[in-house]
Amino acid sequence: MRKKLLLGNWKMNKTPSEAKAFALAANEMVDFAVAHDIEVGVAPTFVCLATVKENINPKCIVAAQNVNEHDHGAFTGEISIPMLKEIGISWVILGHSERREYNGETSEKCNEKIKALLAAGMTPVYCCGESLETYESGQTKKFVAEQIRTGLAGLTPEEAGKVVIAYEPIWAIGTGKSATKETAEDTIGFIRRTLRENFGPVAMDIRILYGGSVKPNNVAEYMSQEDIDGALVGGASLEPNSFQGLIDGMLAK
Ligand code: PEP
């Protein structure tokens, strides 16, 4: 049985004091979610991670939005796995389309980071998803399968079972133009079959999230789909009321 997961990606939003205010406001809703078998988490910026970790309900996952694959060294501006571990962070989002577009993050680079995270006993959330052009030319599955195969290359089935996948069509991120539940399920079901071909039965245990303009009023639709295990949410995860609305919507499954 795959546990439902709601993960908020705060992107480059919130100062430390704003992040702390959210953390304090979220304590009861985290308990509520956990009591209803929903795992919840937020991914603040690096500069807010420690503050959020210290102030939020300990049952809430606190994830980083990126990490470097090296433990230390001459990598100006980067953050390492040991640094995250020391402040109690064990989840990291990788390969978000914004990082792929603005920071040149490739599936090959994500593969190195995923391996480093797994070796450190941490949980990668690996994002994949196609552009509007790829979608309109009917190449979504080919494109996403390649991202999955490259990002998870060389993992054992046991390791693959520890990764969370987020399918986020780029044309739906921050645009208000969400994929229909049927479109999302079609691609996510395909991703699960791709995982099965590559890693065997463990694919049935891997959580796959949908992301792209998920809101309190449409999250239930996605959760009603067999292969969709949760949501990676940007804009609607920023305010406590909206976050509570997402949790309420997820109860529907
Ligand atoms: C995201 O940042 O991963 C995302 C899906 O954003 P939004 O929910 O705002 O579309």
Side-chain angles (χ1 to χ4, degrees):
M1 181 74 178
R2 300 183 299 266
K3 197 166 200 165
K4 287 182 260 185
L5 173 61
L6 170 65
L7 196 54
N9 172 19
W10 287 356
K11 311 190 188 200
M12 198 177 72
N13 291 296
K14 295 192 188 293
T15 64
S17 60
E18 290 165 349
K20 181 176 175 181
F22 182 106
L24 295 173
N27 276 327
E28 273 179 34
M29 64 181 90
V30 174
D31 280 333
F32 175 82
V34 171
H36 290 86
D37 277 332
I38 302 171
E39 223 176 348
V40 290
V42 290
T45 59
F46 284 131
V47 78
C48 294
L49 282 172
T51 312
V52 172
K53 188 72 190 166
E54 281 161 19
N55 288 285
I56 208 160
N57 187 322
K59 293 176 201 146
C60 186
I61 295 162
V62 181
Q65 297 174 18
N66 180 38
V67 77
N68 191 279
E69 67 277 19
H70 300 280
D71 274 358
H72 55 83
F75 301 101
T76 302
E78 293 289 290
I79 300 284
S80 74
I81 289 172
M83 292 170 193
L84 294 181
K85 278 189 104 169
E86 193 168 312
I87 58 165
I89 304 300
S90 58
W91 284 58
V92 180
I93 297 173
L94 292 174
H96 191 280
S97 61
E98 288 150 16
R99 290 205 55 82
R100 289 179 188 264
E101 184 177 352
Y102 306 131
N103 302 86
E105 189 141 308
T106 61
S107 299
E108 286 79 4
K109 183 54 78 181
C110 289
N111 181 247
E112 290 177 41
K113 295 181 180 191
I114 288 171
K115 286 176 176 163
L117 285 169
L118 291 171
M122 293 168 69
T123 303
V125 179
Y126 178 53
C127 302
C128 59
E130 80 288 0
S131 66
L132 186 60
E133 196 186 355
T134 302
Y135 174 68
E136 286 179 344
S137 64
Q139 300 294 306
T140 295
K141 289 179 179 160
K142 184 167 174 257
F143 184 84
V144 168
E146 184 53 34
Q147 287 183 320
I148 294 289
R149 275 195 287 270
T150 305
L152 305 189
L155 301 193
T156 63
E158 195 195 341
E159 288 170 331
K162 294 178 179 153
V163 178
V164 174
I165 306 288
Y167 167 61
E168 301 202 307
I170 298 169
W171 46 270
I173 297 176
T175 58
K177 188 185 171 199
S178 51
T180 63
K181 62 181 191 299
E182 292 83 7
T183 301
E185 172 67 9
D186 184 44
T187 307
I188 287 177
F190 168 78
I191 290 172
R192 197 174 301 289
R193 292 193 294 281
T194 304
L195 291 168
R196 197 177 176 108
E197 277 163 27
N198 286 271
F199 301 105
V202 76
M204 298 313 292
D205 301 329
I206 297 176
R207 286 186 288 183
I208 310 179
L209 315 180
Y210 168 72
S213 297
V214 175
K215 308 287 175 205
N217 64 6
N218 65 12
V219 66
E221 288 177 30
Y222 298 110
M223 296 310 295
S224 70
Q225 302 299 297
E226 195 178 323
D227 283 297
I228 302 180
D229 304 313
L232 179 57
V233 184
S237 73
L238 288 170
E239 296 309 324
N241 282 347
S242 177
F243 199 76
Q244 177 71 58
L246 291 164
I247 294 169
D248 293 341
M250 286 183 75
L251 290 177
K253 191 174 186 180

